[in-house]
Amino acid sequence: MIQEILIVDGYNIIGSWPELQRLKEIRLEEARDRLIETMAEYQSFSGMKVIVVFDAYYVPGLGGKYLQSKLPVYYTKEKETADELIERLVTAHIGRRKQVYVATSDMTEQHVIFGKGAFRIPASELLVKVRQVRQEIRRTIDTEASPKRNTFDSRLSGDIRDKLEQWRRGN
């Protein structure tokens, strides 16, 4: 079985998805949290391992890896770009029985990850996939939430049901 891994260029996706773009204008932290929440939901339903990377190029410090909503979230080190970290993660995860995808609309990054053996998912395509997963989740919830009647006659064939109905009527 092939393990699928999706590495998400966080700020690139935030800048590309209309809802997150609007949210970023109000509060960047809120947009980040919403993306992480969305990707955690996507990971849970799709079965794909998702990693989110945020660029902290101008932020002093060591960067780091955090687990948020069961999702690995990486922040780059000072003077390290998200692209550099994504390239390292691709190299670390590429291997037998693994398929690595990178979600970004950055054309330069797409060319680099192709060279390392990963596939790209443009931001717009990832948004479509996320929306499909949400619809599938809603359908599953609606199906499980709808009252199911487990009646005896629903298990009978039509012939037997007709025969029992005739007996009931005295025929």
Side-chain angles (χ1 to χ4, degrees):
M1 191 164 142
I2 294 177
Q3 179 188 20
E4 293 184 308
I5 301 164
L6 174 63
I7 301 171
V8 178
D9 185 344
Y11 289 131
N12 185 274
I13 299 298
I14 287 172
S16 299
W17 290 3
E19 175 195 347
L20 296 180
Q21 217 172 13
R22 285 189 299 273
L23 202 51
K24 177 181 89 169
E25 299 303 320
I26 301 165
R27 246 185 109 212
L28 180 60
E29 187 177 309
E30 185 72 31
R32 256 194 329 253
D33 290 345
R34 182 79 52 90
L35 176 62
I36 291 167
E37 180 183 301
T38 301
M39 292 290 81
E41 184 179 86
Y42 183 78
Q43 174 177 263
S44 295
F45 198 81
S46 71
M48 200 179 232
K49 178 182 177 183
V50 179
I51 300 168
V52 180
V53 176
F54 290 107
D55 195 328
Y57 189 85
Y58 296 108
V59 180
L62 301 174
K65 174 186 173 186
Y66 305 93
L67 203 60
Q68 217 171 317
S69 301
K70 297 184 181 180
L71 191 77
V73 178
Y74 287 82
Y75 292 91
T76 63
K77 297 181 275 191
E78 184 180 4
K79 297 194 178 174
E80 178 184 39
T81 66
D83 293 351
E84 291 168 334
L85 180 53
I86 288 169
E87 291 163 23
R88 274 203 338 267
L89 288 169
V90 167
T91 302
H93 286 90
I94 240 29
R96 296 181 72 208
R97 301 191 181 277
K98 289 184 180 180
Q99 187 58 65
V100 179
Y101 299 88
V102 177
T104 184
S105 291
D106 179 336
M107 289 303 288
T108 306
E109 183 62 14
Q110 288 176 6
H111 291 299
V112 172
I113 58 118
F114 272 142
K116 293 187 175 288
F119 293 96
R120 72 175 173 95
I121 298 178
S124 58
E125 188 178 323
L126 182 61
L127 182 57
V128 169
K129 288 176 182 263
V130 164
R131 286 177 176 163
Q132 287 171 340
V133 162
R134 283 182 178 160
Q135 286 176 342
E136 195 62 35
I137 290 169
R138 270 191 227 105
R139 243 181 270 131
T140 302
I141 289 170
D142 290 346
T143 302
E144 290 176 3
S146 65
K148 292 181 181 140
R149 294 188 60 203
N150 190 10
T151 59
F152 177 72
D153 71 329
S154 68
R155 296 172 181 256
L156 299 175
S157 69
D159 295 340
I160 293 176
R161 197 175 311 131
D162 292 342
K163 186 70 171 173
L164 288 173
E165 183 63 22
Q166 288 175 1
W167 286 354
R168 187 181 76 79
R169 292 175 184 255
N171 297 339

